[in-house]
Amino acid sequence: MLKSLAGKTVIVTGASRGIGRGIALRFGQAGINVLAVSRSQADADAVAAQIGTHAAGFAADVSTAQGCAAMVQAALQKFGGVDILCANAGIFPAAKLSEMTVEEFDHVINTNLRSTFLSTQSVLPPMSKAGAGRIILTSSITGPITGYPGWSHYGASKAGQLGFMRTAALELAPKNITVNAVLPGNIFTEGLAANGPEYIAAMEASIPLKRLGSVEDIANAALFLASEEAAYITGQTITVDGGQVLPESLGALES
Ligand code: NAP
């Protein structure tokens, strides 16, 4: 049983759907004040309404400095501080390398990696003032561990988050701010479902635990990294993938 985090405040980016929504709901259940952020105010508000009066929705594009600054101001106004950031917003459109445009590459890098830098930087003043903070990045197995055709830009953005994390963890350790990452495998979300039923079936078949992950699987890992019990962990990753990266061959999976 982890010590209660009730009364703390989290900003969850990309909270209107999928993994971010799962994190927002789980943290909300734990009594944590939640600022649920997405580009759509209505979708963010709907998640906040599901959590209750200790939550609010906020519309921001976290690939912009203005968006990140505004979301932190909103959290300070509504809840008086920011104890935890879950930098989760991300996109994964597919494009083969031979056809990928510069605009497509930049869009993925800006949404996934630049947002990690900007959202982390924007929570530093309140966390530094409080003398403590937890930053939890949603990375991926794709990039840091595996590759998948169509996702060279995505893989670069997700591996880039880990490079960012290691130096950020070092710089922020003296301020008692930890920075860690969760690496989801294939988690059933609206975004993942858009890859189509063939993709989903192929992934299910390659996961030793024989199911796609749930958003709760990721939210529980994020909540652990936010807990008091994880205070001495920084610059680390937790892979939550049902064992997907383990088999060296199809034979290893079948036996
Ligand atoms: P999803 O269902 O498509 O949800 C993405 C969320 O990000 C939405 O709330 C979306 O809301 C928000 N978003 C996108 N661009 C944004 C921006 N510029 N500013 C603010 N919010 C933005 O995706 P998901 O599957 O839950 O993935 C969430 C994260 O997990 C991503 O970082 C992804 O790389 C990572 N991940 C997912 C899986 C998986 O299997 N699902 C596996 C590994 C890693 P709006 O569109 O309204 O802004």
PDB file of all heavy atoms in Angstrom, residues 209-237:
ATOM      1  N   LEU A 209       2.266 -12.088 -22.631  1.00  0.00           N
ATOM      2  CA  LEU A 209       1.100 -12.162 -21.743  1.00  0.00           C
ATOM      3  C   LEU A 209      -0.226 -12.238 -22.510  1.00  0.00           C
ATOM      4  O   LEU A 209      -1.304 -12.259 -21.915  1.00  0.00           O
ATOM      5  CB  LEU A 209       1.090 -10.996 -20.746  1.00  0.00           C
ATOM      6  CG  LEU A 209       2.138 -11.098 -19.630  1.00  0.00           C
ATOM      7  CD1 LEU A 209       2.106  -9.858 -18.705  1.00  0.00           C
ATOM      8  CD2 LEU A 209       1.943 -12.351 -18.776  1.00  0.00           C
ATOM      9  N   LYS A 210      -0.133 -12.253 -23.841  1.00  0.00           N
ATOM     10  CA  LYS A 210      -1.271 -12.539 -24.736  1.00  0.00           C
ATOM     11  C   LYS A 210      -2.432 -11.567 -24.638  1.00  0.00           C
ATOM     12  O   LYS A 210      -3.596 -11.928 -24.823  1.00  0.00           O
ATOM     13  CB  LYS A 210      -1.787 -13.980 -24.504  1.00  0.00           C
ATOM     14  CG  LYS A 210      -0.803 -15.048 -24.964  1.00  0.00           C
ATOM     15  CD  LYS A 210      -0.641 -15.038 -26.466  1.00  0.00           C
ATOM     16  CE  LYS A 210       0.500 -15.913 -26.940  1.00  0.00           C
ATOM     17  NZ  LYS A 210       1.221 -15.379 -28.079  1.00  0.00           N
ATOM     18  N   ARG A 211      -2.147 -10.332 -24.345  1.00  0.00           N
ATOM     19  CA  ARG A 211      -3.192  -9.303 -24.433  1.00  0.00           C
ATOM     20  C   ARG A 211      -2.515  -7.966 -24.628  1.00  0.00           C
ATOM     21  O   ARG A 211      -1.358  -7.771 -24.228  1.00  0.00           O
ATOM     22  CB  ARG A 211      -4.065  -9.262 -23.168  1.00  0.00           C
ATOM     23  CG  ARG A 211      -3.341  -8.823 -21.892  1.00  0.00           C
ATOM     24  CD  ARG A 211      -4.317  -8.554 -20.744  1.00  0.00           C
ATOM     25  NE  ARG A 211      -3.642  -8.238 -19.485  1.00  0.00           N
ATOM     26  CZ  ARG A 211      -3.265  -7.011 -19.104  1.00  0.00           C
ATOM     27  NH1 ARG A 211      -3.524  -5.961 -19.870  1.00  0.00           N
ATOM     28  NH2 ARG A 211      -2.654  -6.795 -17.946  1.00  0.00           N
ATOM     29  N   LEU A 212      -3.247  -7.032 -25.231  1.00  0.00           N
ATOM     30  CA  LEU A 212      -2.762  -5.656 -25.262  1.00  0.00           C
ATOM     31  C   LEU A 212      -2.827  -5.101 -23.836  1.00  0.00           C
ATOM     32  O   LEU A 212      -3.617  -5.583 -23.016  1.00  0.00           O
ATOM     33  CB  LEU A 212      -3.630  -4.785 -26.170  1.00  0.00           C
ATOM     34  CG  LEU A 212      -3.623  -5.095 -27.668  1.00  0.00           C
ATOM     35  CD1 LEU A 212      -4.423  -4.030 -28.409  1.00  0.00           C
ATOM     36  CD2 LEU A 212      -2.210  -5.163 -28.237  1.00  0.00           C
ATOM     37  N   GLY A 213      -2.010  -4.096 -23.561  1.00  0.00           N
ATOM     38  CA  GLY A 213      -2.084  -3.465 -22.247  1.00  0.00           C
ATOM     39  C   GLY A 213      -3.317  -2.577 -22.141  1.00  0.00           C
ATOM     40  O   GLY A 213      -3.917  -2.193 -23.159  1.00  0.00           O
ATOM     41  N   SER A 214      -3.673  -2.259 -20.894  1.00  0.00           N
ATOM     42  CA  SER A 214      -4.778  -1.316 -20.672  1.00  0.00           C
ATOM     43  C   SER A 214      -4.174   0.018 -20.214  1.00  0.00           C
ATOM     44  O   SER A 214      -3.026   0.065 -19.749  1.00  0.00           O
ATOM     45  CB  SER A 214      -5.714  -1.845 -19.585  1.00  0.00           C
ATOM     46  OG  SER A 214      -5.032  -1.855 -18.340  1.00  0.00           O
ATOM     47  N   VAL A 215      -4.969   1.061 -20.336  1.00  0.00           N
ATOM     48  CA  VAL A 215      -4.466   2.368 -19.889  1.00  0.00           C
ATOM     49  C   VAL A 215      -4.193   2.346 -18.386  1.00  0.00           C
ATOM     50  O   VAL A 215      -3.288   3.035 -17.898  1.00  0.00           O
ATOM     51  CB  VAL A 215      -5.417   3.536 -20.279  1.00  0.00           C
ATOM     52  CG1 VAL A 215      -5.506   3.652 -21.790  1.00  0.00           C
ATOM     53  CG2 VAL A 215      -6.785   3.398 -19.646  1.00  0.00           C
ATOM     54  N   GLU A 216      -4.926   1.492 -17.660  1.00  0.00           N
ATOM     55  CA  GLU A 216      -4.691   1.382 -16.213  1.00  0.00           C
ATOM     56  C   GLU A 216      -3.305   0.795 -15.926  1.00  0.00           C
ATOM     57  O   GLU A 216      -2.658   1.159 -14.941  1.00  0.00           O
ATOM     58  CB  GLU A 216      -5.773   0.509 -15.544  1.00  0.00           C
ATOM     59  CG  GLU A 216      -7.154   1.148 -15.493  1.00  0.00           C
ATOM     60  CD  GLU A 216      -7.915   1.067 -16.821  1.00  0.00           C
ATOM     61  OE1 GLU A 216      -7.524   0.265 -17.707  1.00  0.00           O
ATOM     62  OE2 GLU A 216      -8.901   1.816 -16.971  1.00  0.00           O
ATOM     63  N   ASP A 217      -2.851  -0.129 -16.794  1.00  0.00           N
ATOM     64  CA  ASP A 217      -1.508  -0.701 -16.590  1.00  0.00           C
ATOM     65  C   ASP A 217      -0.457   0.411 -16.583  1.00  0.00           C
ATOM     66  O   ASP A 217       0.498   0.390 -15.807  1.00  0.00           O
ATOM     67  CB  ASP A 217      -1.174  -1.708 -17.704  1.00  0.00           C
ATOM     68  CG  ASP A 217      -2.006  -2.978 -17.625  1.00  0.00           C
ATOM     69  OD1 ASP A 217      -2.260  -3.458 -16.503  1.00  0.00           O
ATOM     70  OD2 ASP A 217      -2.393  -3.511 -18.691  1.00  0.00           O
ATOM     71  N   ILE A 218      -0.613   1.367 -17.483  1.00  0.00           N
ATOM     72  CA  ILE A 218       0.360   2.470 -17.562  1.00  0.00           C
ATOM     73  C   ILE A 218       0.143   3.457 -16.410  1.00  0.00           C
ATOM     74  O   ILE A 218       1.100   3.932 -15.787  1.00  0.00           O
ATOM     75  CB  ILE A 218       0.235   3.218 -18.912  1.00  0.00           C
ATOM     76  CG1 ILE A 218       0.375   2.230 -20.083  1.00  0.00           C
ATOM     77  CG2 ILE A 218       1.269   4.332 -19.011  1.00  0.00           C
ATOM     78  CD1 ILE A 218       1.639   1.402 -20.073  1.00  0.00           C
ATOM     79  N   ALA A 219      -1.126   3.734 -16.115  1.00  0.00           N
ATOM     80  CA  ALA A 219      -1.437   4.691 -15.039  1.00  0.00           C
ATOM     81  C   ALA A 219      -0.884   4.211 -13.702  1.00  0.00           C
ATOM     82  O   ALA A 219      -0.379   5.017 -12.907  1.00  0.00           O
ATOM     83  CB  ALA A 219      -2.947   4.891 -14.951  1.00  0.00           C
ATOM     84  N   ASN A 220      -0.943   2.908 -13.453  1.00  0.00           N
ATOM     85  CA  ASN A 220      -0.431   2.381 -12.177  1.00  0.00           C
ATOM     86  C   ASN A 220       1.077   2.578 -12.070  1.00  0.00           C
ATOM     87  O   ASN A 220       1.593   2.906 -11.000  1.00  0.00           O
ATOM     88  CB  ASN A 220      -0.792   0.901 -12.029  1.00  0.00           C
ATOM     89  CG  ASN A 220      -2.270   0.713 -11.730  1.00  0.00           C
ATOM     90  OD1 ASN A 220      -2.892   1.570 -11.093  1.00  0.00           O
ATOM     91  ND2 ASN A 220      -2.844  -0.382 -12.186  1.00  0.00           N
ATOM     92  N   ALA A 221       1.796   2.384 -13.180  1.00  0.00           N
ATOM     93  CA  ALA A 221       3.252   2.598 -13.163  1.00  0.00           C
ATOM     94  C   ALA A 221       3.560   4.078 -12.929  1.00  0.00           C
ATOM     95  O   ALA A 221       4.472   4.432 -12.176  1.00  0.00           O
ATOM     96  CB  ALA A 221       3.866   2.111 -14.473  1.00  0.00           C
ATOM     97  N   ALA A 222       2.788   4.951 -13.584  1.00  0.00           N
ATOM     98  CA  ALA A 222       3.000   6.404 -13.408  1.00  0.00           C
ATOM     99  C   ALA A 222       2.723   6.804 -11.956  1.00  0.00           C
ATOM    100  O   ALA A 222       3.464   7.593 -11.367  1.00  0.00           O
ATOM    101  CB  ALA A 222       2.106   7.182 -14.368  1.00  0.00           C
ATOM    102  N   LEU A 223       1.653   6.225 -11.385  1.00  0.00           N
ATOM    103  CA  LEU A 223       1.305   6.562  -9.995  1.00  0.00           C
ATOM    104  C   LEU A 223       2.410   6.092  -9.048  1.00  0.00           C
ATOM    105  O   LEU A 223       2.750   6.791  -8.089  1.00  0.00           O
ATOM    106  CB  LEU A 223      -0.041   5.928  -9.623  1.00  0.00           C
ATOM    107  CG  LEU A 223      -0.666   6.372  -8.309  1.00  0.00           C
ATOM    108  CD1 LEU A 223      -0.930   7.880  -8.294  1.00  0.00           C
ATOM    109  CD2 LEU A 223      -1.962   5.622  -8.027  1.00  0.00           C
ATOM    110  N   PHE A 224       2.988   4.934  -9.326  1.00  0.00           N
ATOM    111  CA  PHE A 224       4.116   4.471  -8.499  1.00  0.00           C
ATOM    112  C   PHE A 224       5.273   5.468  -8.575  1.00  0.00           C
ATOM    113  O   PHE A 224       5.857   5.849  -7.556  1.00  0.00           O
ATOM    114  CB  PHE A 224       4.584   3.072  -8.930  1.00  0.00           C
ATOM    115  CG  PHE A 224       5.906   2.711  -8.294  1.00  0.00           C
ATOM    116  CD1 PHE A 224       5.992   2.502  -6.919  1.00  0.00           C
ATOM    117  CD2 PHE A 224       7.062   2.638  -9.056  1.00  0.00           C
ATOM    118  CE1 PHE A 224       7.220   2.228  -6.312  1.00  0.00           C
ATOM    119  CE2 PHE A 224       8.291   2.369  -8.454  1.00  0.00           C
ATOM    120  CZ  PHE A 224       8.377   2.167  -7.075  1.00  0.00           C
ATOM    121  N   LEU A 225       5.594   5.912  -9.787  1.00  0.00           N
ATOM    122  CA  LEU A 225       6.727   6.853  -9.935  1.00  0.00           C
ATOM    123  C   LEU A 225       6.437   8.196  -9.254  1.00  0.00           C
ATOM    124  O   LEU A 225       7.358   8.923  -8.886  1.00  0.00           O
ATOM    125  CB  LEU A 225       7.071   7.051 -11.415  1.00  0.00           C
ATOM    126  CG  LEU A 225       7.740   5.838 -12.075  1.00  0.00           C
ATOM    127  CD1 LEU A 225       7.834   6.030 -13.584  1.00  0.00           C
ATOM    128  CD2 LEU A 225       9.121   5.559 -11.481  1.00  0.00           C
ATOM    129  N   ALA A 226       5.147   8.514  -9.093  1.00  0.00           N
ATOM    130  CA  ALA A 226       4.769   9.762  -8.397  1.00  0.00           C
ATOM    131  C   ALA A 226       4.757   9.577  -6.881  1.00  0.00           C
ATOM    132  O   ALA A 226       4.703  10.566  -6.141  1.00  0.00           O
ATOM    133  CB  ALA A 226       3.388  10.212  -8.869  1.00  0.00           C
ATOM    134  N   SER A 227       4.814   8.336  -6.418  1.00  0.00           N
ATOM    135  CA  SER A 227       4.597   8.057  -4.987  1.00  0.00           C
ATOM    136  C   SER A 227       5.814   8.435  -4.143  1.00  0.00           C
ATOM    137  O   SER A 227       6.924   8.553  -4.649  1.00  0.00           O
ATOM    138  CB  SER A 227       4.292   6.565  -4.785  1.00  0.00           C
ATOM    139  OG  SER A 227       5.483   5.802  -5.010  1.00  0.00           O
ATOM    140  N   GLU A 228       5.580   8.573  -2.857  1.00  0.00           N
ATOM    141  CA  GLU A 228       6.671   8.838  -1.911  1.00  0.00           C
ATOM    142  C   GLU A 228       7.666   7.687  -1.915  1.00  0.00           C
ATOM    143  O   GLU A 228       8.862   7.872  -1.735  1.00  0.00           O
ATOM    144  CB  GLU A 228       6.082   8.977  -0.510  1.00  0.00           C
ATOM    145  CG  GLU A 228       6.397  10.308   0.138  1.00  0.00           C
ATOM    146  CD  GLU A 228       5.834  10.370   1.535  1.00  0.00           C
ATOM    147  OE1 GLU A 228       6.471   9.851   2.457  1.00  0.00           O
ATOM    148  OE2 GLU A 228       4.734  10.939   1.674  1.00  0.00           O
ATOM    149  N   GLU A 229       7.131   6.483  -2.112  1.00  0.00           N
ATOM    150  CA  GLU A 229       7.970   5.284  -2.086  1.00  0.00           C
ATOM    151  C   GLU A 229       8.971   5.267  -3.243  1.00  0.00           C
ATOM    152  O   GLU A 229       9.951   4.523  -3.204  1.00  0.00           O
ATOM    153  CB  GLU A 229       7.090   4.026  -2.123  1.00  0.00           C
ATOM    154  CG  GLU A 229       6.349   3.748  -0.815  1.00  0.00           C
ATOM    155  CD  GLU A 229       5.122   4.649  -0.585  1.00  0.00           C
ATOM    156  OE1 GLU A 229       4.825   5.514  -1.436  1.00  0.00           O
ATOM    157  OE2 GLU A 229       4.467   4.468   0.451  1.00  0.00           O
ATOM    158  N   ALA A 230       8.731   6.060  -4.291  1.00  0.00           N
ATOM    159  CA  ALA A 230       9.651   6.102  -5.446  1.00  0.00           C
ATOM    160  C   ALA A 230      10.597   7.299  -5.366  1.00  0.00           C
ATOM    161  O   ALA A 230      11.258   7.649  -6.348  1.00  0.00           O
ATOM    162  CB  ALA A 230       8.845   6.158  -6.741  1.00  0.00           C
ATOM    163  N   ALA A 231      10.696   7.894  -4.169  1.00  0.00           N
ATOM    164  CA  ALA A 231      11.457   9.158  -4.019  1.00  0.00           C
ATOM    165  C   ALA A 231      12.922   9.037  -4.437  1.00  0.00           C
ATOM    166  O   ALA A 231      13.540  10.033  -4.820  1.00  0.00           O
ATOM    167  CB  ALA A 231      11.372   9.634  -2.572  1.00  0.00           C
ATOM    168  N   TYR A 232      13.489   7.822  -4.355  1.00  0.00           N
ATOM    169  CA  TYR A 232      14.931   7.661  -4.602  1.00  0.00           C
ATOM    170  C   TYR A 232      15.207   7.167  -6.021  1.00  0.00           C
ATOM    171  O   TYR A 232      16.329   6.809  -6.360  1.00  0.00           O
ATOM    172  CB  TYR A 232      15.484   6.669  -3.553  1.00  0.00           C
ATOM    173  CG  TYR A 232      16.966   6.775  -3.313  1.00  0.00           C
ATOM    174  CD1 TYR A 232      17.572   7.993  -3.004  1.00  0.00           C
ATOM    175  CD2 TYR A 232      17.775   5.632  -3.383  1.00  0.00           C
ATOM    176  CE1 TYR A 232      18.938   8.077  -2.774  1.00  0.00           C
ATOM    177  CE2 TYR A 232      19.140   5.702  -3.158  1.00  0.00           C
ATOM    178  CZ  TYR A 232      19.717   6.932  -2.845  1.00  0.00           C
ATOM    179  OH  TYR A 232      21.065   7.015  -2.619  1.00  0.00           O
ATOM    180  N   ILE A 233      14.182   7.169  -6.864  1.00  0.00           N
ATOM    181  CA  ILE A 233      14.336   6.706  -8.255  1.00  0.00           C
ATOM    182  C   ILE A 233      14.340   7.930  -9.161  1.00  0.00           C
ATOM    183  O   ILE A 233      13.383   8.712  -9.163  1.00  0.00           O
ATOM    184  CB  ILE A 233      13.152   5.787  -8.662  1.00  0.00           C
ATOM    185  CG1 ILE A 233      13.066   4.577  -7.723  1.00  0.00           C
ATOM    186  CG2 ILE A 233      13.298   5.338 -10.117  1.00  0.00           C
ATOM    187  CD1 ILE A 233      11.824   3.711  -7.940  1.00  0.00           C
ATOM    188  N   THR A 234      15.402   8.098  -9.922  1.00  0.00           N
ATOM    189  CA  THR A 234      15.399   9.183 -10.918  1.00  0.00           C
ATOM    190  C   THR A 234      16.227   8.808 -12.143  1.00  0.00           C
ATOM    191  O   THR A 234      17.196   8.049 -12.036  1.00  0.00           O
ATOM    192  CB  THR A 234      15.846  10.536 -10.319  1.00  0.00           C
ATOM    193  OG1 THR A 234      15.476  11.575 -11.241  1.00  0.00           O
ATOM    194  CG2 THR A 234      17.340  10.601 -10.037  1.00  0.00           C
ATOM    195  N   GLY A 235      15.778   9.287 -13.286  1.00  0.00           N
ATOM    196  CA  GLY A 235      16.473   9.018 -14.550  1.00  0.00           C
ATOM    197  C   GLY A 235      16.289   7.597 -15.048  1.00  0.00           C
ATOM    198  O   GLY A 235      17.075   7.112 -15.857  1.00  0.00           O
ATOM    199  N   GLN A 236      15.202   6.934 -14.602  1.00  0.00           N
ATOM    200  CA  GLN A 236      15.012   5.513 -14.917  1.00  0.00           C
ATOM    201  C   GLN A 236      13.761   5.276 -15.765  1.00  0.00           C
ATOM    202  O   GLN A 236      12.931   6.157 -15.924  1.00  0.00           O
ATOM    203  CB  GLN A 236      14.910   4.704 -13.612  1.00  0.00           C
ATOM    204  CG  GLN A 236      16.120   4.861 -12.714  1.00  0.00           C
ATOM    205  CD  GLN A 236      17.419   4.490 -13.415  1.00  0.00           C
ATOM    206  OE1 GLN A 236      17.522   3.433 -14.051  1.00  0.00           O
ATOM    207  NE2 GLN A 236      18.416   5.361 -13.328  1.00  0.00           N
ATOM    208  N   THR A 237      13.679   4.075 -16.286  1.00  0.00           N
ATOM    209  CA  THR A 237      12.521   3.701 -17.109  1.00  0.00           C
ATOM    210  C   THR A 237      11.842   2.467 -16.528  1.00  0.00           C
ATOM    211  O   THR A 237      12.507   1.614 -15.940  1.00  0.00           O
ATOM    212  CB  THR A 237      12.956   3.372 -18.550  1.00  0.00           C
ATOM    213  OG1 THR A 237      13.855   2.254 -18.514  1.00  0.00           O
ATOM    214  CG2 THR A 237      13.653   4.558 -19.212  1.00  0.00           C
TER     215      THR A 237
END
